[in-house]
Amino acid sequence: MKKVSIIGSTGSIGCQALDVAYNNPDKIKIVGLSAGKNIELLIKQVKEFQPKVVSVSSVEHAGLLQKEFGASKGIDIYHGSEGLLAVAGCEDADIVLTAVTGTVGLAPTLKAIESGKDLALANKETLVAAGPLVMAEAGARGVKIYPVDSEHSAIWQCLNGEDTKALSRLILTASGGPFRNLPQKEMDAITPEQALKHPNWNMGSKITIDSATLMNKGLEVIEARWLFDVDFDKVDVLVHPQSIVHSMVEFIDGSVMAHLGIPDMRIPIQYALSNPHRWPNNLPKLDLMQVAHLTFERPDLDRFPCLKLAYQAGRIGGTMPAVLNAANEVAVERFLRKEIAFTDIPKTVSRVMEKHQRVASPTLEDILQADRWAREAAYQF
């Protein structure tokens, strides 16, 4: 029985993780849930899974939970940043799934590591902003980090049992998003409604916009560098519109291992929780005859400069990846509010990166300060 805490239970990944838990009641026990403002959904989740620790963003919502469940239910209710840390450090948890987006996931991730909990990591921004710190802390405490992103889960599975010295390169696949074939001159007119229509995946709004700009793939490149301890020159990206090959690993003898499957996040979520075992499920199986064709192409870095910016930030290192991530979060938020154009997202990120004075070997406080500075600079731009 795996005892699991979920940071971000009402988001896309959190809901799909709870679907996995619901279908495996003899294998998974939910002991902690944290959410933001979707109090109605959280109440339903608490009733269904009866966790021991629950957290929400505001004191008002915590009061609603207290009124709904009270002390008689044996549920500890928290709110705000203290609540995130309480769920992440829940004494009963064996593993913590971080399923929030953005650097809000950094503090609970570090708290889970400090508490000796293994991690199922769906919050890529944590490793983008603070990869060296997070991996060093996990290594020092013997904490295992299991990737949940479909691409990193694919690489993890392809490398299982292999000698990493025989690794030649990692190949991350990208769907290309909804604008893969859109003429560049039409990209200024892209609306949030259009950008939120991902052709293959069901994801939250921020990740969906990042997929449309290819920033999501750039963040995954930086995440892969830290998860698998490889140089950026050994991480490539290929556009694969069918989203059937989730990623590949090339070895020094020329062999290439690929992980294939239907585009459904419940599969990598389940594997992160079930590892080293595999559990059956009721999801559709991959029918290659129905797929028929698998195609690959190089990403167009002129039309999608966010991917190029991510490589640049990763290679510069220090506080620059945190600045890339923070500026992008602000730009995406403003695009969703229709305050800037789709093509202003990479322009904003690029301008903020140009202004940043990098700290080469940052502490956690340096990273948080760079994050705050980048957000303010992005708003000003």
Side-chain angles (χ1 to χ4, degrees):
M1 178 71 74
K2 292 283 183 75
K3 296 179 181 179
V4 182
S5 280
I6 300 178
I7 308 296
S9 67
T10 57
S12 175
I13 295 295
C15 287
Q16 291 178 86
L18 288 174
D19 190 36
V20 171
Y22 179 83
N23 288 303
N24 293 277
D26 58 330
K27 301 180 179 73
I28 296 175
K29 168 63 179 171
I30 300 298
V31 296
L33 294 174
S34 82
K37 299 176 181 178
N38 194 342
I39 188 69
E40 292 181 5
L41 178 54
L42 179 61
I43 288 173
K44 291 179 182 178
Q45 292 175 345
V46 173
K47 287 179 177 178
E48 176 69 43
F49 295 98
Q50 296 293 306
K52 293 191 174 184
V53 183
V54 179
S55 175
V56 283
S57 60
S58 69
V59 64
E60 291 81 12
H61 284 160
L64 290 174
L65 285 175
Q66 196 69 48
K67 190 178 296 185
E68 181 75 30
F69 300 105
S72 62
K73 298 287 186 179
I75 300 173
D76 294 328
I77 297 170
Y78 297 87
H79 69 275
S81 57
E82 178 190 0
L84 283 175
L85 299 183
V87 173
C90 177
E91 186 176 342
D92 291 333
D94 303 314
I95 186 167
V96 177
L97 169 62
T98 54
V100 289
T101 57
T103 49
V104 68
L106 178 55
T109 296
L110 290 172
K111 178 62 177 181
I113 293 172
E114 178 188 322
S115 304
K117 313 296 182 183
D118 288 338
L119 283 169
L121 188 65
N123 172 242
K124 60 177 65 66
E125 292 88 349
T126 287
L127 287 186
V128 170
L133 290 177
V134 171
M135 297 307 293
E137 280 293 306
R141 297 179 184 272
V143 166
K144 297 181 178 67
I145 298 181
Y146 303 126
V148 169
D149 278 343
S150 63
E151 296 82 0
H152 302 96
S153 178
I155 291 169
W156 174 36
Q157 294 179 61
C158 288
L159 287 174
N160 193 16
E162 296 291 336
D163 182 356
T164 54
K165 293 179 182 177
L167 172 66
S168 178
R169 63 177 175 142
L170 309 179
I171 305 168
L172 297 173
T173 56
S175 70
F179 311 122
R180 181 171 59 90
N181 295 316
L182 188 71
Q184 190 165 1
K185 63 182 180 181
E186 298 179 23
M187 296 184 78
D188 279 336
I190 290 171
T191 67
E193 292 77 14
Q194 291 171 323
L196 287 170
K197 293 179 180 178
H198 195 282
N200 300 331
W201 293 96
N202 174 27
M203 304 178 292
S205 59
K206 196 267 182 183
I207 297 177
T208 304
I209 300 302
D210 282 349
S211 294
T213 64
L214 290 195
M215 178 61 88
N216 193 52
K217 206 54 48 181
L219 299 180
E220 289 175 3
V221 166
I222 300 174
E223 185 182 9
R225 182 264 175 271
W226 295 112
L227 277 174
F228 305 110
D229 193 23
V230 295
D231 294 332
F232 285 102
D233 291 341
K234 289 190 174 183
V235 185
D236 286 345
V237 173
L238 284 179
V239 173
H240 169 53
Q242 296 82 19
S243 294
I244 296 299
V245 177
H246 296 301
S247 277
M248 296 172 274
V249 175
E250 180 184 83
F251 295 94
I252 55 177
D253 64 354
S255 300
V256 176
M257 282 193 182
H259 177 282
L260 284 70
I262 63 169
D264 192 308
M265 281 303 301
R266 287 171 292 184
I267 295 174
I269 291 169
Q270 179 174 299
Y271 187 67
L273 299 178
S274 70
N275 179 71
H277 307 291
R278 291 187 185 272
W279 301 336
N281 57 45
N282 296 321
L283 297 174
K285 299 300 184 280
L286 176 62
D287 185 346
L288 285 174
M289 293 304 295
Q290 185 177 359
V291 174
H293 299 286
L294 301 175
T295 61
F296 303 90
E297 60 193 65
R298 292 287 181 191
D300 186 338
L301 299 184
D302 292 326
R303 294 174 65 238
F304 298 99
C306 282
L307 178 55
K308 181 165 57 177
L309 290 170
Y311 268 104
Q312 289 174 358
R315 289 188 170 108
I316 292 170
T319 49
M320 192 61 81
V323 166
L324 166 99
N325 178 71
N328 179 67
E329 284 188 27
V330 170
V332 169
E333 177 187 329
R334 297 192 69 186
F335 169 68
L336 287 169
R337 295 203 306 254
K338 300 185 177 181
E339 295 175 358
I340 64 174
F342 182 81
T343 50
D344 287 331
I345 295 174
K347 291 176 184 175
T348 300
V349 175
S350 178
R351 181 69 64 87
V352 174
M353 285 175 61
E354 288 172 2
K355 290 184 176 181
H356 179 57
Q357 298 295 315
R358 178 188 70 120
V359 178
S361 300
T363 63
L364 178 59
E365 182 51 43
D366 291 330
I367 291 168
L368 295 176
Q369 174 58 33
D371 179 274
R372 291 189 291 267
W373 173 87
R375 291 174 191 277
E376 182 178 348
Y379 274 115
Q380 289 175 353
F381 176 69

